[in-house]
Structure formats: C-alpha cells, structure tokens
Amino acid sequence: MNTIGFVFSALRDEMQLPLTQNRTFAALPFACRYRLVDFPISSMVNAGISNINVIANYNYRSLIQHIGSGKDWDLARYTGGVHIMSPYQNAGRDRQGVYSTRREALLHMKDYIESMGESIAILSDCNCIANLDYRKMLETHIKNEAEVTIAVSENITGQRGEDGSRRLLPVCILSCSLLRQWLSYDGTGDDNLPVDILKKERSERRICTYTHSGYVAKIESMEDYFYHSIALTRNPEVAESLFGNGAQRIMTRTHNSTPTRYGERADVIDSLVADGCLIEGRLENSIVFRNVRIGRGSVVRNSILFAGTEIGSDTVLDCVICDKKVKIGSERILSGHITMPMYIQKGREV
Amino acid sequence: MILAGGQGSRLLDLTRQTAKPAVGFGGKYRIIDFPLSNCVQSGIDTVGVLTQYQPLDLNEYIGNGDAWDLDRRNGGLFVLPPYQGSRRADWYRGTANAIYQNLNFVLKSAPQYVLILSGDHIYRMNYRKMLRAHVEKRAACTVATLRVAKEEASRFGICNTDEDGRIFEFEEKPKHPRSDLASMGIYIFNTDKLVSVLERDAENKASSNDFGKDIIPTMIQNGEAVYSYAFDGYWKDVGTVRSLWEANMDLLGREPRLGLNNGEFRIYSRNLSRAPQVIYRDADVKDSLISEGCRIGGSVHHSVLSCGVCVEKGAVVRDSVIMEDVVIKAGAVVTRAMIDRRAYVDRGVTVGDTAGTEITVVGKERMVTKEGIF
C-alpha cells in the first residue's frame, strides 16, 4: 500500500487528566475493551494501511504492552507493521525532552521520513474517538487532487467549542513530499497542524475537507471522557456503530478471559460489559471493563469500572470512575455528580 | 496425542458437519480447548491432534496452535489426519490404530513418555502430577481414573486395583461392573512400551485396535505394570446432547460445579475480537454466562450464550445454550434448547418444551419460523 500512517499518542500536555497521570493519552482505556489508540490504528488497518508509526510521549509502557507485536490488528508482518517510536530529548530546548507539537514529534523521525517509500501519509491524533473510513477519505483526497485533506464533522458533541475549529478532526492526509517540505521549514510558534503552516500559502495549496458523518467523541477533559462514556450507554445503537463490525471493526488486544457471569440477583440495564466479570448486583448506565466483580446488593450507576475492580456487597456507586484494580468494600456509598465524576486512582482500596 | 477424530453421532445436528471436539461449549470455548489448555498449562509443548471426521472446522480452529501458545520453534502443535501412503496407512480404525499410524510422528520427538487424551472431555487437570505418579510407581502405563456412580459404571472402562493402585482387572463397559473406578481414557505410556504393544496389537487380526477394549486388558493379562492415577476434580464426557447441555448448566448457579477462572490454569481459546456486551434497557439477565459481542434486550435466565448472540426485547431464553451469532427475535420463547451457530429464531416462535425435560436441538444456520424449521 502506498500510504503510511502516523498516530500521535499524546500532544496535549496541558490536558492534565487524573486518568492520564500514569499513562499516555493513547493508552487511555475506553468503552470496556479499547484504548484510544485502537481507533486510529484500526481505521488505518481497515483501509488497508499496514505501515503505522505510533509516536509515543510520556508513560508509554502500557501502550507498548497493549500494542505488542501488532498481532491483534494483523500487523505482525515482515514488511510494515506497527511501530512505536519513542521520543527522545531535543537537545537545546528548555522543555524536558518530549515534544509538544506534531512537527517536533515528526522531526525526531526525520531520517525515517526522508527515506520512506510511501507517497501518502495520514496523520492522526488519539483524542477523537470515531470509526473513520480512511479508504473513503483517501479516495476523496485523490479525486480532488488535494495536497492536504482534513477530516471534519458536524457531529462533534461535548462540552466546548463554538467556532469553526469545533468541526475539525485532528486527522489529515497529505503527500509525503509535502510532509518532508513542511518538516524542513524553520520552526515557529504555530507549527502544529499542517494547516497552520499552510494557512500562509492557502491560495497556492489545495486544501480539501472530508466530512465524516458518523459518531465522534472529542476528549479534552475528564468531563468529556465521562460524558462520552456514559452517553454510549444511553445510545447503545451508537455504541454498536462506533465499534463497527466485519471489515470496519475496531480491533483491540485480546485476553483469554472467561465469559461474564451474571448472578441470580443480577439486575443490569443500559450498560456495556466486557468479559471475565462476575455481576451479582445492579448495574445501570455503566461501563464495565474486564474481570470486574460486583457483589450482591450493590448498585452501580453512571459509573466506569476499569479492569480488575472489585466492588463488595451492598455498596452504592454513582458517577464514579474507578481506575484499574480498585477495591471498594461492602456497605460503602460513593457518589460524584454527572458533571463532576468522582475518580478513584488505580489500586486504591476503599 | 489428542484423539479428536470421533464422529460424536449422539450429538445429532451439532455434529452433522463438525467434529465433536470443535463443538462449542461454555460461551466462548470449544470442547478441545480443555485438553489443549491442560497440555499447555501442564508444561507440555509438543501436541499432536488426530483428526478424522469432518475436520475442516476443527483444523481451521486449531490452526498453528498459537491461541494455546503452541506455535513453537521446538515442538508445538501438529494436526494429524489419516493419510495415504504405506500399506499400514488407512482411515483410523480405532483409538490404538490411530496412534499406531502416527508412531513416526511420535518417535520424531524422541519423547520418554506419551500422554494419550481424548478430545471430547471437559475437565481441568495438571498432567504433570499424573506423570510424577507414573514415574514413582515405575509403571509401564498409567490410566487416569475417576469414581463414578454405580448406575453409570456400565458406560465406562472399569478398573479394579490393589492397595498400591496397580490395576489387576479391567473391563470395558461391563454389564455387571465390579467396582466404581472408571477409566477416563487418559493414558501415560513409556514410549518404548507403547511402541511394542501397538505393534503387537496391529498384528492381531482379532483386535479392534482400541485402548480400552484391547490394549489395556491385554497388558494387564500379560502382567504389565498398569497403574491407576486417581483424579477427583470435575470431569464430563460430553458425548450426548444431554450431557453437553448439563455441562453447560454446570457453569451456572450460586456455586458452579465447573468453575472457569481467570487466574492460574485458565482455559485458552481462539476467538475473534468482539465488541463489548450491550445490555439494553428492558433486558433481564440472571444466572447466565454471556460472551462478548452479545446484544441483550430481552430476558435471559439460567443460560449460556456464546459470542454475538442477539436477544431482542420481548424474547425469553431459559435453561438454554445458545451458540455464536444466533438471533432470537422479539416475542420468541426458547426453553431447554441448544441452538447452534448462526441460527435464527423468528418473532413469537416457541422453541423447546417448557413442561418436559427434553433438550431441543436447532442445527447450524437453521431458521425457525412459525411455518417450521428451514
């Protein structure tokens, strides 16, 4: 295939989510089974792209473990495959090592980019959750003879964004020669999105848009993350369209967990549940990752329980996000608010 | 060596086009996952799977063994169908004959011991412990055994042992069983002993070339050291529709008789990555096992659902085993049924007998409508 993919695992270091304190943004778990990086990688694989570079930032151990050899995306290949490019210090800068713009990130890979054989590049961030059809987007790019194609959407919902920038998705297609050209410019302040650079030359460049008509969730805060997760439980058909099926499936790492067991007193509605769980209580509008246990008499509402969490019996959770392996005892009551979820750190015991 | 060639004719429609070990179980597993996973968890890295009947599904499922961590540089998993070749080669004529025809494969790895398993039993066992006992007793052959109810005993090979565990009597499916110690069809042999008994058996025209009927009794008659290894965990021979259904039901309840856990000694399987389970507003799921990709809008009680099953709002599923990608439309009522992959149950249709005790089987890809089954 003539196209290469670049996925930026984290760019927004101003977005300090408690959830990303110990994991890079791309490794943020979402919707029971996935991590944010699964969406761009799967979309690329589904479009036939088999050479994908994930540019890592901080705390990317869980990202490496998640992606592994790329086998789960059928990317453990002799040619191409998925590669995690680690960041390294940019000597002479004030900041500690890691990049903060896409251009800086790609500059670390300058040699590779100079010599790569593909002619088209797709660049994507990880903060827009969507099942994009890159095949269509590439077709549009080629048909319009565009130099840059940027994805837009009318459907971005969330807490913020009023102006035109609201519609932009952090996904663009450009030719590799243009990419090399862009990298060779002298760095200035606004060298983030290719469009910023090319704004100056807009009249000379063909910049086109591709409209994605499906679901999009833009995650820029803890509230966004919570809002979009719970929204999936209120609109299960939307969830199904996001996860895709057949050739448009979002793929992720598989685990050999058992099927989930619902107990005799289980009472589950409007929820998404992964494998390996034991549910013996009430679950409402919640997202449950794998190997979670919910004891008898407990009620879990509007909450997100990451892998390995254990909730005792007769405990009530409302608007709570439990990170991995949290243990909440019996007869506890924990409550956040739908606009301000309560977050419990990984491994905490309550 | 896993014997996975049997027809499993008593499983009716479920095995019309599929070998018994490839039949689904427990939501996301196939029967053969149990012996395969047991091997890997016991540290065995060279496994031959002998296929014969309708092997396509099974072969595709097994692949190169990677799902069970058996894609290895040294050893690994090998699928062994019968093949045309020398005079000896033929369809497999019996369990012993199947191994006999594959002796070249066995000897290629030069093992000290050969473990012979059936591909259609549900159980978890660490074969290392059995091997240790075999070595301690200096046995020529060790047979894993299990205490069974006296009423059941006639279905099995029944052993009688002395205080040391040495078997002095072995009767296959006896009319009047003389003990309740049954053979599980799991054997460990010293390799050279296995080779010699199989060769002698091959020359015996009167033999049915079966381990339980011929090899073991002959060895005992000849005074060989055949010992019993007592196993006391859960074990089920899922040869009939009823036993397969019961084994699935054994996964449910307050204290399941068969526990599947995510810790040590877990059972591996090959599964396509699916979306999370979606439980809708009107769903009512109790005492059930639900796998990935299921979409539940109706009522599911005391049932086992495989991946991708859709139960619409208003549909009712009770005491049933539903395999992959089955669609159960609104208002359908499914009771005490085993529904095979990709079948379709139309609106308002009743499958199964709420009053009786029969298990209803719906075959793969069948459509069940008010007009009938197509």
Side-chain angles (χ1 to χ4, degrees):
Chain A
M1 229 262 175
N2 210 14
T3 308
I4 189 169
F6 290 95
V7 178
F8 298 94
S9 77
L11 278 178
R12 273 143 249 277
D13 50 0
E14 70 270 17
M15 205 175 6
Q16 287 294 339
L17 307 188
L19 279 169
T20 52
Q21 225 158 32
N22 293 313
R23 50 167 77 91
T24 183
F25 197 73
L28 183 55
F30 184 77
C32 302
R33 295 205 57 212
Y34 307 98
R35 297 210 190 225
L36 295 190
V37 76
D38 293 331
F39 294 88
I41 292 184
S42 300
S43 299
M44 288 176 181
V45 170
N46 292 338
I49 299 165
S50 58
N51 191 2
I52 300 175
N53 295 290
V54 178
I55 305 179
N57 195 329
Y58 295 99
N59 294 327
Y60 52 95
R61 192 192 60 84
S62 47
L63 184 67
I64 290 184
Q65 210 174 31
H66 179 72
I67 293 181
S69 66
K71 192 170 147 198
D72 295 305
W73 296 265
D74 201 21
L75 285 171
R77 306 279 189 85
Y78 285 152
T79 51
V82 61
H83 315 283
I84 301 189
M85 316 301 272
S86 56
Y88 39 88
Q89 290 202 296
N90 194 1
R93 287 254 171 173
D94 301 322
R95 308 249 211 147
Q96 277 298 324
V98 291
Y99 58 85
S100 59
T101 66
R102 291 186 195 80
R103 185 164 172 276
E104 254 177 63
L106 291 171
L107 274 173
H108 288 315
M109 295 176 57
K110 198 149 181 283
D111 290 340
Y112 177 84
I113 292 175
E114 287 299 318
S115 60
M116 67 190 181
E118 288 87 354
S119 58
I120 301 183
I122 300 189
L123 276 54
S124 173
D125 281 3
C126 283
N127 68 329
C128 265
I129 302 173
N131 193 334
L132 285 164
D133 189 340
Y134 284 141
R135 225 182 261 277
K136 275 211 196 108
M137 190 172 168
L138 278 163
E139 279 166 15
T140 309
H141 177 81
I142 292 171
K143 202 176 64 167
N144 293 335
E145 289 173 27
E147 292 183 88
V148 180
T149 299
I150 304 191
V152 298
S153 167
E154 302 293 343
N155 302 337
I156 302 185
T157 51
Q159 320 278 69
R160 55 172 91 176
E162 315 77 21
D163 55 20
S165 69
R166 170 169 211 247
R167 297 174 60 230
L168 289 179
L169 298 181
V171 180
C172 72
I173 295 180
L174 71 173
S175 68
C176 291
S177 55
L178 184 56
L179 179 65
R180 289 184 196 112
Q181 220 179 325
W182 175 51
L183 287 180
S184 66
Y185 287 154
D186 286 326
T188 57
D190 44 83
D191 59 356
N192 211 345
L193 193 60
V195 156
D196 295 334
I197 303 279
L198 301 165
K199 232 191 273 188
K200 303 166 189 166
E201 313 165 49
R202 198 188 272 270
S203 52
E204 295 146 46
R205 297 280 186 200
R206 279 190 61 71
I207 300 175
C208 297
T209 59
Y210 165 79
T211 304
H212 167 70
S213 49
Y215 169 92
V216 176
K218 204 169 191 178
I219 310 287
E220 290 180 319
S221 65
M222 197 70 161
E223 290 71 34
D224 281 341
Y225 176 83
F226 184 68
Y227 171 86
H228 285 297
S229 295
I230 304 300
L232 283 179
T233 69
R234 297 188 197 280
N235 299 294
E237 296 83 7
V238 168
E240 283 181 40
S241 75
L242 173 65
F243 304 145
N245 52 24
Q248 290 297 115
R249 235 168 12 108
I250 301 295
M251 296 165 275
T252 186
R253 183 163 171 227
T254 49
H255 302 269
N256 275 292
S257 297
T258 64
T260 283
R261 193 148 78 82
Y262 293 81
E264 290 162 340
R265 308 258 185 87
D267 181 14
V268 180
I269 60 168
D270 285 331
S271 295
L272 304 181
V273 184
D275 258 2
C277 296
L278 175 57
I279 315 261
E280 299 190 282
R282 181 167 171 84
L283 200 56
E284 235 182 87
N285 288 110
S286 293
I287 302 265
V288 179
F289 286 71
R290 72 191 151 84
N291 301 344
V292 167
R293 299 172 85 94
I294 298 177
R296 294 196 153 209
S298 286
V299 178
V300 175
R301 223 179 264 129
N302 300 318
S303 294
I304 304 174
L305 306 180
F306 281 21
T309 295
E310 286 179 25
I311 314 285
S313 49
D314 300 308
T315 284
V316 179
L317 259 60
D318 200 335
C319 300
V320 178
I321 302 178
C322 289
D323 211 316
K324 286 189 169 192
K325 301 211 174 88
V326 162
K327 271 195 172 55
I328 302 189
S330 303
E331 292 169 20
R332 309 271 190 273
I333 302 180
L334 278 76
S335 178
H337 185 262
I338 200 90
T339 58
M340 194 168 82
M342 172 187 248
Y343 170 70
I344 304 184
Q345 283 165 327
K346 188 167 164 177
R348 276 300 291 272
E349 287 195 27
V350 179
Chain B
M1 299 287 270
I2 302 183
L3 295 159
Q7 186 177 355
S9 51
R10 288 171 300 163
L11 285 177
L12 313 173
D13 263 5
L14 296 172
T15 47
R16 210 158 22 96
Q17 288 167 318
T18 301
K20 187 161 129 193
V23 168
F25 172 80
K28 62 185 284 190
Y29 306 97
R30 309 256 190 147
I31 296 172
I32 197 161
D33 289 326
F34 287 80
L36 270 178
S37 302
N38 287 341
C39 283
V40 169
Q41 301 283 20
S42 302
I44 300 172
D45 63 15
T46 306
V47 178
V49 179
L50 286 74
T51 62
Q52 174 155 271
Y53 175 76
Q54 292 281 13
L56 295 179
D57 209 357
L58 183 62
N59 289 351
E60 190 183 319
Y61 180 69
I62 290 179
N64 68 347
D66 59 333
W68 302 269
D69 200 20
L70 282 170
D71 54 329
R72 307 285 183 94
R73 229 175 248 280
N74 295 312
L77 187 141
F78 298 85
V79 174
L80 304 167
Y83 59 93
Q84 285 204 320
S86 67
R87 254 181 309 135
R88 301 206 294 204
D90 197 354
W91 294 114
Y92 295 148
R93 280 198 306 276
T95 52
N97 176 255
I99 305 290
Y100 174 67
Q101 290 198 39
N102 285 289
L103 277 178
N104 285 341
F105 165 75
V106 172
L107 295 172
K108 212 166 49 149
S109 315
Q112 250 185 301
Y113 307 101
V114 181
L115 169 69
I116 298 179
L117 304 173
S118 153
D120 44 39
H121 298 158
I122 305 283
Y123 64 108
R124 286 151 82 184
M125 182 163 148
N126 189 341
Y127 304 125
R128 285 253 150 224
K129 292 190 185 158
M130 184 178 167
L131 179 63
R132 226 173 286 142
H134 174 86
V135 169
E136 261 166 32
K137 305 277 189 195
R138 296 173 199 277
C141 168
T142 298
V143 180
T145 56
L146 186 73
R147 300 243 164 244
V148 294
K150 270 273 158 73
E151 321 77 75
E152 300 280 312
S154 319
R155 290 173 40 209
F156 298 93
I158 297 295
C159 317
N160 248 318
T161 61
D162 63 18
E163 325 76 66
D164 198 30
R166 183 167 172 159
I167 303 178
F168 60 85
E169 208 169 53
F170 187 102
E171 246 190 317
E172 180 73 11
K173 296 196 177 52
K175 283 218 176 81
H176 305 286
R178 278 192 275 235
S179 94
D180 62 350
L181 195 63
S183 157
M184 293 166 71
I186 299 173
Y187 315 102
I188 290 184
F189 281 88
N190 296 334
T191 307
D192 38 11
K193 181 59 65 178
L194 178 67
V195 174
S196 66
V197 297
L198 286 181
E199 279 178 348
R200 217 171 327 130
D201 181 73
E203 279 154 29
N204 179 359
K205 304 283 188 219
S207 172
S208 56
N209 309 122
D210 182 273
F211 278 103
K213 291 191 205 128
D214 307 290
I215 305 287
I216 305 293
T218 306
M219 283 179 80
I220 293 172
Q221 259 162 40
N222 295 344
E224 304 269 18
V226 181
Y227 278 81
S228 137
Y229 169 76
F231 176 73
D232 65 354
Y234 178 96
W235 179 83
K236 200 121 179 151
D237 178 349
V238 286
T240 61
V241 167
R242 176 162 294 275
S243 60
L244 182 59
W245 179 86
E246 276 170 5
N248 274 289
M249 295 296 125
D250 284 341
L251 294 166
L252 304 171
R254 184 100 216 254
E255 305 269 356
R257 300 180 60 206
L258 172 61
L260 295 172
N261 72 328
N262 292 307
E264 292 183 15
F265 224 88
R266 70 171 75 179
I267 303 297
Y268 297 126
S269 64
R270 182 190 295 289
N271 290 98
L272 203 55
S273 175
R274 300 266 198 161
Q277 306 168 20
V278 182
I279 314 290
Y280 283 77
R281 167 146 304 226
D282 298 292
D284 170 29
V285 182
K286 291 203 178 1
D287 194 19
S288 295
L289 217 59
I290 312 277
S291 305
E292 284 191 330
C294 283
R295 288 133 60 214
I296 314 287
S299 170
V300 178
H301 285 202
H302 196 249
S303 296
V304 176
L305 269 56
S306 295
C307 299
V309 172
C310 172
V311 177
E312 283 190 354
K313 174 174 166 180
V316 174
V317 178
R318 295 274 183 281
D319 305 316
S320 296
V321 179
I322 314 291
M323 312 281 202
E324 281 164 24
D325 298 311
V326 165
V327 174
I328 300 178
K329 303 290 284 177
V333 178
V334 177
T335 315
R336 295 181 81 84
M338 294 203 59
I339 304 191
D340 208 350
R341 280 180 257 162
R342 295 185 293 278
Y344 179 95
V345 180
D346 208 359
R347 285 171 188 274
V349 171
T350 301
V351 175
D353 188 3
T354 44
T357 55
E358 281 301 301
I359 315 285
T360 307
V361 175
V362 174
K364 211 179 341 192
E365 289 155 11
R366 300 289 208 158
M367 283 189 51
V368 188
T369 66
K370 289 219 161 99
E371 284 78 43
I373 303 185
F374 304 98

